[in-house]
Amino acid sequence: MNDTVHPLVMTTHAGETPGDRRATRDQRHDLWFKRSMFGAAMLVLVLLGAIAASTLWGGGLAFKTFGLSFITSTEWDAVNNHFGAVVPIYGTLVTSFLALLIAVPVSFGIAIFLTEVAPPWLKMPVASAIELLAGIPSIIYGMWGLFVFGPFMAEHLSPLINDYLGALPFIGSLFQGPPLGIGMLTAGIVLAVMIMPFITSVMHEVFRSVPTQLKESAYALGSTTWEVVWDIVLPYTRSAVVGGIFLGLGRALGETMAVTFVLGNAQQFSASLLMPSSSIASVIANEFSEAYTDLHRSALIALGFLLFIVTFVVLALARLMLMRLSRKEGL
Amino acid sequence: MNANERLYRKRALKNAVAMFLSCGATAFGLLWLAWILLTTIINGFQALNLRLFTQMTPPPGTEGGLANAFYGSALMSAIALLIGTPIGLMAGIWLAEFARHSRLGTTVRFINDILLSAPSIVLGLFIYTGVILPLNLLTNHQVGFSAIAGALALALLVIPVVVRTTDEMLQLQPSTMREAALALGVPQWKLTLQIVLRAAKAGVVTGILLALARITGETAPLLFTAFGNQFWSSNLLKPIASVPVVIFQYAMSPFDDWHSLAWAGALVLTLFVLVLSLASRLILLRNRSH
């Protein structure tokens, strides 16, 4: 409502009419309404800054005490009060990378299936089933990983991996180790199952946004389905697809429960993917409530700060890339 | 066979392989879903009984249930929704009604989307440094880990979900409706709350249900905010038990009877979350068909 031109206010000089009073009252209410809505929106904005600031402040002691060695030292020793975060950082990156390595091709396949291959009657149930997978709480994934998938890995997959991949030159050392069942590879696979539905639903959605004319002209020229997907759909949606992958990466980096159960919480550095390790989130989850010294607690909050910054960058990139596609659509 | 035909066969073969792999990927994805759901259901049903809802969390080796954990989860979720929903609704209304194309609106939307997938454990750390430590200082170490802190951490997860769905659902409402109301002289706040919001009710409720589904399964932010409690507690300033945290502790323990309690809790949790997401989808579908 405009506050300068109001016919009622302008015409009545002598005394206030009821309509006049109502108009000013409405105006006042509207102003307060708008202000309170604005306040809530700004709260969202402030929240993000506050999270970064408070974790930085909480981790300040650790950053001051260890300086750069906090992220270059492999020694995480609560007894001697020395904290270096290389192992959790490495564990976070490796498990997330493994998760992407598995989840991206599978998600891509499912998205193609849903947009190009599946008969109409099958699309809805499959899409809903995949979304169901996204709704399962992460702690269920963790439990399943610990009680079901971990033992399965130990009995069936780990020996196979040890025998075949462990014998390879150069990368062999990545795949050697006792069949414990828990470790970075298991965590990577559980994470992959977790982020697969997120990546799939983004890909599915953006593939559907490709103009039908584009695809049909390619089909009319005699393209196969695969050629349409690879040469028409994928180039058109490239930035959004990468955005979807980054969204999955953001999830994987910050995921706590699914990883904590199957990673083994080991602070020793080991090259093999079959060995237990730890991730930033799993260290915080395991040690925070048992951290009795200020330095230990501060080191854990500092880890949280690092995690927040990294995921912020990854998620921001994801959103920017997703926005590029919607701009193309003119939305 | 001439060159043309060879090329054609090669393309057809490539296509067949790609389509086969695509079907395979789908089967692979569904296999995990079936595997996880089946294990949860089978293990959970074996451990399911009435004691689960009537008795407290037991020491190892004795019988018990998760009654206090269910109560704690319900209490904290309710408070989280009470805090998070109004804030989320208001911010969503501002985005859709006042800042649809403004630069500030785009920024808030962007930040909200990041909050939506920010690691929940960091939110727990934020509540710890921002709420628990100050509370602890103010009350002279009387109040630390507490139900209210856990609820606040969960509210931080509710807000972005509600903001996003409210924003989207309000934007879907036709502008002719807004213009018709404004032409009748309806003030903006009345228009927004009583006409636009009411028209978008189904979508907004869906958002709240999704937020509830999200927070019921969250463990990480509760570990060091609500902490946990072996006993029944409804004191908001004391630590309180919650289902996911109990599942985490029990599953990581070496005791078999704790494991089966954890499975029972996991089953109830999963069913609850699945029913919620199904319900929200049904509400949306029914509303769309009108």
Side-chain angles (χ1 to χ4, degrees):
Chain A
M1 291 238 153
N2 209 318
D3 54 2
T4 49
V5 185
H6 206 292
L8 282 172
V9 180
M10 279 165 65
T11 47
T12 53
H13 293 288
E16 289 194 326
T17 66
D20 187 9
R21 270 202 299 279
R22 199 168 81 185
T24 41
R25 200 184 59 211
D26 283 351
Q27 215 172 42
R28 202 174 60 236
H29 288 170
D30 273 354
L31 193 65
W32 280 109
F33 179 68
K34 191 175 169 180
R35 275 184 191 158
S36 48
M37 301 297 128
F38 178 71
M42 288 308 106
L43 190 70
V44 172
L45 217 54
V46 170
L47 210 57
L48 193 93
I51 294 171
S54 76
T55 45
L56 180 61
W57 174 78
L61 182 62
F63 284 130
K64 248 181 274 163
T65 315
F66 301 116
L68 206 61
S69 81
F70 185 67
I71 49 169
T72 54
S73 160
T74 56
E75 196 190 341
W76 182 276
D77 189 347
V79 183
N80 295 317
N81 251 332
H82 188 278
F83 300 100
V86 167
V87 174
I89 292 173
Y90 176 76
T92 307
L93 295 180
V94 169
T95 49
S96 304
F97 177 73
L98 283 174
L100 281 189
L101 210 62
I102 301 165
V104 169
V106 175
S107 305
F108 183 58
I110 300 176
I112 296 175
F113 180 81
L114 286 175
T115 40
E116 304 294 331
V117 186
W121 58 267
L122 201 59
K123 278 182 190 173
M124 242 288 273
V126 172
S128 319
I130 298 292
E131 269 180 52
L132 217 62
L133 200 57
I136 298 176
S138 61
I139 189 157
I140 310 293
Y141 284 92
M143 267 188 90
W144 169 79
L146 178 70
F147 288 123
V148 182
F149 188 63
F152 177 80
M153 277 288 286
E155 264 173 55
H156 304 287
L157 288 180
S158 294
L160 280 180
I161 292 170
N162 239 324
D163 289 351
Y164 290 98
L165 295 175
L168 293 173
F170 304 118
I171 58 162
S173 59
L174 280 177
F175 301 104
Q176 287 163 355
L180 296 172
I182 52 174
M184 286 192 275
L185 186 61
T186 314
I189 295 173
V190 174
L191 268 183
V193 181
M194 264 205 74
I195 63 173
M196 193 175 63
F198 293 106
I199 304 181
T200 305
S201 73
V202 173
M203 283 189 180
H204 179 45
E205 209 164 291
V206 299
F207 284 0
R208 273 201 306 200
S209 75
V210 177
T212 323
Q213 297 97 311
L214 267 185
K215 288 199 286 189
E216 282 179 351
S217 5
Y219 279 123
L221 289 172
S223 300
T224 61
T225 310
W226 170 248
E227 282 161 352
V228 169
V229 169
W230 194 252
D231 298 322
I232 308 292
V233 174
L234 207 54
Y236 187 85
T237 55
R238 194 186 295 126
S239 65
V241 166
V242 177
I245 294 171
F246 269 56
L247 213 58
L249 177 62
R251 291 254 167 194
L253 288 170
E255 178 47 45
T256 313
M257 296 330 286
V259 179
T260 307
F261 275 104
V262 290
L263 206 44
N265 198 32
Q267 289 298 348
Q268 288 84 23
F269 187 86
S270 52
S272 170
L273 299 179
L274 298 180
M275 291 298 279
S277 178
S278 58
S279 78
I280 295 180
S282 82
V283 171
I284 301 174
N286 272 319
E287 298 185 5
F288 198 85
S289 46
E290 286 150 22
Y292 292 115
T293 62
D294 284 343
L295 193 60
H296 191 186
R297 199 168 291 152
S298 170
L300 291 170
I301 299 177
L303 273 183
F305 174 74
L306 291 180
L307 179 65
F308 186 66
I309 297 301
V310 173
T311 44
F312 177 82
V313 171
V314 168
L315 292 171
L317 283 176
R319 289 295 162 191
L320 287 176
M321 285 182 214
L322 286 169
M323 270 154 80
R324 258 167 70 180
L325 182 76
S326 51
R327 217 172 292 146
K328 202 189 303 186
E329 284 171 12
L331 290 171
Chain B
M1 193 160 45
N2 61 29
N4 230 342
E5 212 169 307
R6 263 206 306 279
L7 179 67
Y8 179 77
R9 286 229 175 134
K10 212 179 105 192
R11 286 174 56 210
L13 185 71
K14 206 168 164 188
N15 184 52
V17 170
M19 292 309 112
F20 176 75
L21 286 179
S22 152
C23 297
T26 311
F28 184 71
L30 294 177
L31 176 89
W32 295 105
L33 175 72
W35 195 0
I36 294 174
L37 277 184
L38 279 181
T39 351
T40 313
I41 290 172
I42 291 172
N43 285 313
F45 262 114
Q46 279 170 357
L48 207 59
N49 54 41
L50 210 62
R51 279 199 312 276
L52 194 67
F53 302 98
T54 56
Q55 294 187 5
M56 305 295 125
T57 45
T62 52
E63 284 185 342
L66 299 172
N68 50 338
F70 282 122
Y71 176 71
S73 275
L75 186 70
M76 281 193 288
S77 302
I79 299 173
L81 281 185
L82 278 179
I83 299 171
T85 310
I87 297 176
L89 272 181
M90 283 160 73
I93 288 174
W94 184 76
L95 283 175
E97 301 292 308
F98 298 102
R100 201 172 283 197
H101 300 294
S102 77
R103 181 165 293 178
L104 191 58
T106 315
T107 313
V108 172
R109 227 166 257 138
F110 184 76
I111 296 295
N112 187 65
D113 279 347
I114 289 176
L115 277 179
L116 195 64
S117 21
S120 56
I121 192 152
V122 177
L123 298 180
L125 285 177
F126 168 60
I127 293 295
Y128 181 83
T129 50
V131 176
I132 293 185
L133 286 184
L135 260 181
N136 210 330
L137 273 178
L138 282 175
T139 58
N140 213 1
H141 304 287
Q142 292 302 304
V143 181
F145 296 128
S146 54
I148 190 72
L152 278 175
L154 294 181
L156 293 184
L157 291 159
V158 171
I159 292 172
V161 181
V162 177
V163 170
R164 176 140 198 201
T165 40
T166 309
D167 180 25
E168 271 173 9
M169 293 301 154
L170 292 188
Q171 288 207 23
L172 283 180
Q173 303 310 316
S175 52
T176 45
M177 191 170 65
R178 294 190 182 85
E179 283 157 12
L182 283 176
L184 290 172
V186 176
Q188 175 91 46
W189 65 270
K190 219 174 220 177
L191 157 71
T192 308
L193 294 182
Q194 296 182 0
I195 298 170
V196 184
L197 199 60
R198 183 179 283 184
K201 197 169 65 188
V204 173
V205 170
T206 309
I208 299 170
L209 287 183
L210 286 178
L212 179 61
R214 190 172 168 207
I215 59 173
T216 38
E218 271 296 344
T219 322
L222 294 177
L223 286 172
F224 33 84
T225 52
F227 197 61
N229 193 335
Q230 260 188 292
F231 307 103
W232 185 281
S233 162
S234 43
N235 188 341
L236 289 183
L237 297 176
K238 290 268 176 261
I240 197 167
S242 63
V243 182
V245 173
V246 171
I247 294 178
F248 176 54
Q249 287 164 345
Y250 282 18
M252 291 294 244
S253 77
F255 311 112
D256 278 339
D257 41 354
W258 274 16
H259 288 173
S260 61
L261 262 182
W263 276 118
L267 175 68
V268 175
L269 206 65
T270 310
L271 287 182
F272 183 69
V273 169
L274 292 186
V275 165
L276 270 181
S277 61
L278 256 173
S280 59
R281 194 157 308 161
L282 277 182
I283 293 176
L284 262 193
L285 268 183
R286 223 180 54 188
N287 211 54
R288 208 167 280 162
S289 62
H290 277 317

